[in-house]
Amino acid sequence: MRICLMLEGQEGISWEQWLALALAAEGAGLDGLFRSDHYRSIMRGDPAGSLDAWTTLAGIAARTERIRLGTMVSPVTFRHPSVLAKAVTTVDHISGGRAELGIGAGWFESEHDAYRFPFLTTRGRLDELDRQLVEIERQWTEADDIWPKPLQHPRPPIIVGGSARPRTVAAAMRHGDEYNTVFPTVDEARERKETLDDAARAAGREPLRFSMMIGCVVGTDGADLDARLARFREVVGPNPPPIVGTVDEVVDRLREYEAVGVERAMLQHLLHEDVAMVEVLGEVAARLG
């Protein structure tokens, strides 16, 4: 299982913090850094907010050398597909071919109201997801009047996000390289992996890589963990994330997910001020690698 750092940019992460976290992720040997693509705070409230996802990733791309970079996930309601395709292509060039596009239908109505983005019906957003995937892939691989192409061949990886329901599974089968699901239990991860594998067989294609995004707090020992959990309760709330423990305990928990088919874990780190925890995640990644 490969381990990535997942950050919620809408919770007030400054550029200085982004850079420190990205460099820590690279130094810790993590596979990648993924960030949410929201504009308005969900947990901390105003005046926390977000720097733009793809603009931030472009800056990080220029300051790192190895880690994969992408969104988890970009909603189709924010950008015209040509703008999104060009943004990902730009990050791919700046990074030397390390960009990945996580894309989804979007869900957070409040930020659409605040920023005057039209918020479609669920069906309308899923229809737009299908349309944008077709157009983005066309521009990257087929259009002979759109240049430059991305560095990665035939194109950057596309990650479709969802809970293995029919519409997102169908979109992933047509266009995706990876399917990401959010906060699953081990049993849910197993069931969703089986659904995706069945769909891949029916479509006559290789199975998609299966990943998850899930909250995590890890400590080097019990005292370190307790201190982080106390801070988590102060900032986020009383309920701890699904994966909590020392390095040994977190590794054991992630191996349960690995056993049911999860190949990559985007570990959500909600206390972005705590750069030191990224180094501890590196210990987790080294044990799982």
Side-chain angles (χ1 to χ4, degrees), residues 183 215-217 229 232-233 236-244 270:
F183 278 65
C216 178
V217 173
L229 283 174
F232 186 94
R233 295 185 186 98
V236 180
N239 298 320
I243 296 181
V244 173
L270 291 177

Side-chain angles (χ1 to χ4, degrees), residues 2 16 20-22 44 58 67 75 77 115 127 158 162 170 172 181 190 226 244 253 258 261:
R2 286 184 278 177
E16 292 76 16
L21 290 157
R44 299 195 183 200
I67 51 173
T77 49
Y115 284 87
D127 288 345
I158 293 174
T181 197
R190 179 189 296 108
D226 288 345
V244 173
R253 183 66 171 146
E258 186 178 45

Side-chain angles (χ1 to χ4, degrees), residues 53-86:
W54 284 101
T55 310
T56 303
L57 291 173
I60 292 171
R63 299 293 298 273
T64 55
E65 297 180 356
R66 184 191 54 78
I67 51 173
R68 307 292 297 177
L69 300 168
T71 48
M72 202 46 42
V73 293
S74 287
V76 296
T77 49
F78 279 11
R79 303 172 185 87
H80 189 281
S82 296
V83 174
L84 182 55
K86 185 65 74 176

